[in-house]
Amino acid sequence: MGRRSPTRKSTLHRLTVPDGGDLELRNFVRDKYLDSDHYRTRDFTRQDFEGLLITGGVPRDRVDWCDAVASITGLDVDEANRAAAGLILMRSARGTYALSYGVGQHMLDPYYRDDEFGLEFATRCLDEDGVIKVRNQIMDGRGRVDEYSVSRGERIDDFGLDRFGAVVRRICGTVSGLPLTSTESGRSRRTRVECSQATIKLPLATNLEQFLSDLQTIEEVCQRPDPLPQLRFVSRVHSLNRGSRKAVEAQDTLETLLADPECPRMTVGVPDACQEGYSTSQAFRLRRGAHTIETDDIALHDLLGLVRDKPHGERLKSLGDVRVTMFSDADCLTPAGAATNGKEWLIADIPTGSDRLFYGNGKWFEVGAGFLQNLDEEVTRLLVEPKTVTLPSWPAGPLDSKGRDTHDEDWYNKHAAQQSGYLLFDKQNIHTGKFRGGGLEICDLLGPDNQLICVKKATTSTAPLNHLFAQGVVAVETLRSDKHVRAKFLNQVAARTPGHRLLHDFGSLRVVFAILLKDGMDISVGSLFAFAQVSLLQAVQRLNAMNAAVEIIAIRR
């Protein structure tokens, strides 16, 4: 019989009280577990160490997969199940902690959970060449989650993460050089840890005295003033559990803002499911119950107008009941995609005390000061680059019978193409077997020095900009990788200007994002929402990697 291990893989949580006050340990547990006959709550004291233990589980006479197994095999299956849960709550001189076993984490009230704990630890002690797995969410309004893993540890740089848009949610790797029971008692001086935003999973001592020593080591790591240089970017942005204290407080602020459609801290953003159909949509229908709005462009005042009548505390929930449908025709007869809910279209910037939170794609993100400063510096650097194109102003035009400005993007592109050396490619889509429906539009205008100019009117919100930046990336990717698309595009160029420079010089390209903001205002870090800035920098990184420069130009009124 082998020697009993002095450690067991455990999940550690850190708990916080909003005002820094002192709560009874029972207050950190959800009431339904304290009141349930299936769970037992006991106080304990050991070596002057006081804590609370909760154990139990809901017994099931027959697990839910029995019917499926019986149906497939033709055999009788009748297995019982008991989802056991264990939770230990304790206090040290530096904080309040919880150890969870089985499904014990569900007993904790998320309001008190510290969503910085796990990554705070990981970014201060993971071995430089010991990163094994990274899971991140892309902070661009789409909500996409990526996961990268390797069999042996590597440097974080080898994973190719997007340093601007990656919201790291979980990171797994090795730590060494720490006085933990698992490293001192094992053959290896390294131990493997898995850290999410709110938890640390690692082998912890099963002996109380050694466990307290392990806890002290973890606390000392978290007290280190700065993350490791290679992991500093991880702490800049992280998503929040919607039940966490910060998210609850930010949502209370957002509820107030939802009553003001003119609030500058909110805008509309295009959900990922709508990105493809958004650019060709001619109309939108917003509906909640018997209330319906049909419009040619979705605006914040339309979206919030359907929930303004709701009392404080019910507006965001009601926004989730709003169905938004895009249509490819102005008469709202042909849907351009599946219906989405109103919350998916909302983007908000919420300051709460010293914190900065963003709401996007139905999720909360906390953004550190370092991230915002870095984001501002990168965007500012891009905006001050010399301009290589000259575009005319975009005056407002007369309104049509439906009250719409007749000087739309179609009008402006034709107007700008009248300049010498500029060619119109708006709606000159390239059709191949790869692209269905409307085909691929390479650019709106081709400039005199091979500039692929993409034009976007964003006078009511910055929502169209995500699509604009994606359009530039897809155009260059396709031109570089698809010889059939490239040949068709060059044939279009040759048909207009037989001796055009692009026909003989396709090595370097320049993508120009030409943007009209409200009242023709200047483009700055202050006029672009953080989500739009992230999307822009992601596009710049991808385009630069394909030997394409990027230029941003503001169109004036």
Side-chain angles (χ1 to χ4, degrees):
M1 186 173 181
R3 188 181 63 169
R4 183 179 179 183
S5 172
T7 64
R8 178 184 176 85
K9 190 172 183 180
S10 307
T11 303
L12 184 66
H13 313 251
R14 187 170 65 192
L15 307 172
T16 60
V17 181
D19 57 4
D22 192 15
L23 285 181
E24 291 286 334
L25 292 178
R26 282 173 168 76
N27 290 326
F28 295 103
V29 182
R30 297 166 70 183
D31 290 339
K32 71 176 186 177
Y33 293 99
L34 294 173
D35 300 335
S36 173
D37 294 334
H38 297 297
Y39 293 85
R40 184 182 182 189
T41 303
R42 289 172 283 177
D43 298 293
F44 67 91
T45 301
R46 289 199 64 201
Q47 301 178 15
D48 298 325
F49 181 81
E50 296 184 354
L52 180 70
L53 171 64
I54 307 172
T55 57
V58 179
R60 295 181 179 177
D61 295 334
R62 193 167 185 265
V63 293
D64 56 9
W65 47 261
C66 286
D67 288 341
V69 172
S71 177
I72 293 171
T73 64
L75 302 174
D76 292 333
V77 181
D78 189 12
E79 299 294 339
N81 186 28
R82 183 174 182 268
L87 185 67
I88 302 174
L89 292 104
M90 68 204 79
R91 281 197 176 92
S92 73
R94 288 175 173 165
T96 304
Y97 298 89
L99 272 173
S100 63
Y101 300 94
V103 293
Q105 74 273 12
H106 297 303
M107 292 190 277
L108 286 172
D109 187 336
Y111 183 80
Y112 299 109
R113 195 172 65 187
D114 189 338
D115 286 321
E116 299 178 6
F117 178 50
L119 296 182
E120 183 180 272
F121 176 77
T123 56
R124 284 161 172 78
C125 68
L126 277 185
D127 294 328
E128 185 173 4
D129 60 349
V131 180
I132 298 171
K133 180 170 65 176
V134 180
R135 181 183 299 167
N136 65 279
Q137 182 173 342
I138 305 303
M139 184 190 163
D140 63 355
R142 295 178 295 171
R144 192 180 85 235
V145 175
D146 294 334
E147 183 167 300
Y148 308 87
S149 61
V150 295
S151 58
R152 301 180 65 180
E154 293 186 0
R155 293 171 52 87
I156 189 70
D157 290 339
D158 295 333
F159 285 82
L161 298 180
D162 179 349
R163 294 303 178 95
F164 292 106
V167 183
V168 175
R169 299 173 60 180
R170 187 178 299 271
I171 186 167
C172 177
T174 62
V175 297
S176 58
L178 296 180
L180 292 167
T181 305
S182 56
T183 57
E184 295 176 344
S185 61
R187 295 179 182 177
S188 173
R189 289 296 177 180
R190 291 188 174 196
T191 192
R192 181 167 171 166
V193 300
E194 184 172 352
C195 301
S196 68
Q197 294 176 161
T199 65
I200 305 172
K201 291 184 179 180
L202 77 168
L204 291 173
T206 55
N207 171 278
L208 178 60
E209 184 176 344
Q210 291 177 309
F211 167 77
L212 293 177
S213 175
D214 286 350
L215 180 60
Q216 182 178 352
T217 297
I218 292 170
E219 290 179 319
E220 289 173 352
V221 169
C222 292
Q223 289 288 315
R224 295 175 183 176
D226 298 307
L228 297 168
Q230 69 270 19
L231 293 172
R232 190 167 290 136
F233 78 98
V234 173
S235 60
R236 297 182 306 183
V237 183
H238 64 272
S239 59
L240 295 175
N241 183 289
R242 63 182 179 183
S244 68
R245 171 182 60 84
K246 290 182 179 180
V248 170
E249 291 177 353
Q251 186 158 315
D252 184 67
T253 301
L254 179 58
E255 284 286 336
T256 300
L257 300 184
L258 290 175
D260 178 15
E262 303 302 321
C263 176
R265 292 195 172 276
M266 296 185 296
T267 187
V268 292
V270 184
D272 182 47
C274 301
Q275 290 286 344
E276 185 175 344
Y278 179 82
S279 61
T280 57
S281 294
Q282 300 298 310
F284 297 81
R285 176 183 292 150
L286 291 75
R287 174 175 291 165
R288 184 175 72 84
H291 301 282
T292 300
I293 296 174
E294 293 184 352
T295 176
D296 64 326
D297 189 16
I298 184 170
L300 185 65
H301 65 84
D302 293 325
L303 191 64
L304 301 190
L306 293 172
V307 301
R308 234 183 339 180
D309 61 320
K310 290 294 183 179
H312 185 96
E314 295 186 19
R315 293 177 188 133
L316 188 62
K317 179 179 180 298
S318 296
L319 197 59
D321 297 330
V322 174
R323 309 327 285 165
V324 180
T325 306
M326 303 182 300
F327 293 89
S328 56
D329 63 297
D331 297 322
C332 297
L333 297 176
T334 307
T340 51
N341 75 70
K343 287 199 295 187
E344 296 179 77
W345 290 82
L346 178 67
I347 291 179
D349 172 1
I350 309 293
T352 58
S354 60
D355 300 321
R356 184 83 172 273
L357 273 66
F358 289 89
Y359 183 84
N361 201 45
K363 297 179 176 64
W364 283 105
F365 299 88
E366 182 175 14
V367 183
F371 174 84
L372 293 171
Q373 179 180 353
N374 192 265
L375 194 63
D376 288 355
E377 290 173 354
E378 289 296 321
V379 173
T380 299
R381 180 189 60 77
L382 182 64
L383 295 177
V384 298
E385 289 287 327
K387 312 305 179 190
T388 64
V389 298
T390 301
L391 293 175
S393 60
W394 190 337
L399 303 181
D400 63 12
S401 59
K402 294 186 177 181
R404 296 175 297 193
D405 187 350
T406 54
H407 285 183
D408 55 12
E409 290 181 13
D410 178 68
W411 176 89
Y412 180 77
N413 289 328
K414 292 175 180 176
H415 176 57
Q418 294 175 9
Q419 299 178 109
S420 176
Y422 289 76
L423 299 178
L424 179 66
F425 280 89
D426 182 26
K427 297 182 176 63
Q428 303 300 309
N429 294 2
I430 294 175
H431 298 268
T432 69
K434 181 177 179 180
F435 296 100
R436 303 173 183 175
L440 174 68
E441 182 181 274
I442 299 296
C443 60
D444 293 305
L445 302 163
L446 181 63
D449 292 318
N450 293 0
Q451 300 102 331
L452 303 177
I453 305 172
C454 303
V455 176
K456 186 59 63 178
K457 182 179 183 180
T459 54
T460 57
S461 77
T462 57
L465 299 186
N466 283 344
H467 176 79
L468 174 71
F469 304 144
Q471 175 190 354
V473 171
V474 171
V476 173
E477 280 182 342
T478 307
L479 288 175
R480 294 289 195 213
S481 62
D482 192 317
K483 62 181 181 181
H484 299 294
V485 171
R486 182 168 61 251
K488 286 191 173 187
F489 178 63
L490 293 178
N491 287 339
Q492 289 181 343
V493 175
R496 292 167 173 76
T497 307
H500 198 283
R501 172 184 161 187
L502 185 65
L503 302 176
H504 312 287
D505 178 17
F506 201 77
S508 61
L509 293 171
R510 176 173 290 267
V511 176
V512 178
F513 296 122
I515 302 167
L516 174 67
L517 294 178
K518 184 178 181 181
D519 300 324
M521 66 189 296
D522 198 9
I523 300 173
S524 66
V525 293
S527 60
L528 295 178
F529 259 68
F531 279 104
Q533 293 179 38
V534 168
S535 294
L536 170 59
L537 293 180
Q538 287 176 323
V540 170
Q541 288 179 335
R542 294 176 66 181
L543 289 166
N544 288 167
M546 294 183 287
N547 196 27
V550 179
E551 182 177 325
I552 307 294
I553 186 169
I555 303 175
R556 304 300 183 183
R557 271 297 193 192

